[in-house]
Structures are given as structure tokens and as C-alpha cells.
Amino acid sequence: INITGDRAYDLALALRYQGISQNKIFIWEDVEEGLNQSLSGKGDKLYIVSRGEAPERLSRKLKGREKKWSLG
């Protein structure tokens, strides 16, 4: 699980309380690096949870990438 953004540490803590192992949670200070790491994964699906203006910024960053991604 790759986490980035202003509330990354809060979300990581909440996930730990839900029983997700710490070795499955990765916090990225840089949003672009977090996105790059997420897109480099082997899975065929990427789930992005965001709020505020973040979806619009992420949509711009995803355009032109090798795989086709959509924000819904």
C-alpha cells in the first residue's frame, strides 16, 4: 500500500489499527514518487483514494502514461 500526501501518516496509522502489517505500508513524502511506485507495480488495478483537489492533479499526472488509468 503506497501512501502519500498531507495525511499519509494518519492513514498509515489507521491501517495499522485495522491489522494491516507495517511491512505492507509505504509512505512517500513526494507525491510524484509515490505515484510512480504505485504505477510500477505488477497488478492490473490501481485504486486511488483522495480528497479535495487531489483527484484533478492526479488525473493530469496520469495522462500520457503507458497504461490507461481512470479516476472514478
Side-chain angles (χ1 to χ4, degrees):
I1 300 172
N2 292 314
I3 305 173
T4 188
D6 297 339
R7 306 290 303 272
Y9 291 96
D10 296 331
L11 180 55
L13 183 60
L15 292 171
R16 288 289 295 127
Y17 280 132
Q18 292 299 315
I20 296 180
S21 175
Q22 186 172 353
N23 64 357
K24 293 184 178 185
I25 300 172
F26 302 93
I27 298 175
W28 301 95
E29 298 290 333
D30 181 272
V31 174
E32 187 78 24
E33 181 62 22
L35 184 59
N36 288 338
Q37 290 296 323
S38 297
L39 293 174
S40 69
K42 295 180 181 179
D44 61 348
K45 291 185 180 182
L46 172 65
Y47 295 94
I48 297 176
V49 179
S50 61
R51 61 180 182 80
E53 296 178 7
E56 185 177 312
R57 288 193 310 264
L58 287 172
S59 181
R60 285 194 304 265
K61 290 180 184 297
L62 289 171
K63 287 183 181 176
R65 299 283 182 139
E66 185 176 322
K67 294 182 179 179
K68 296 296 180 189
W69 303 100
S70 65
L71 298 173

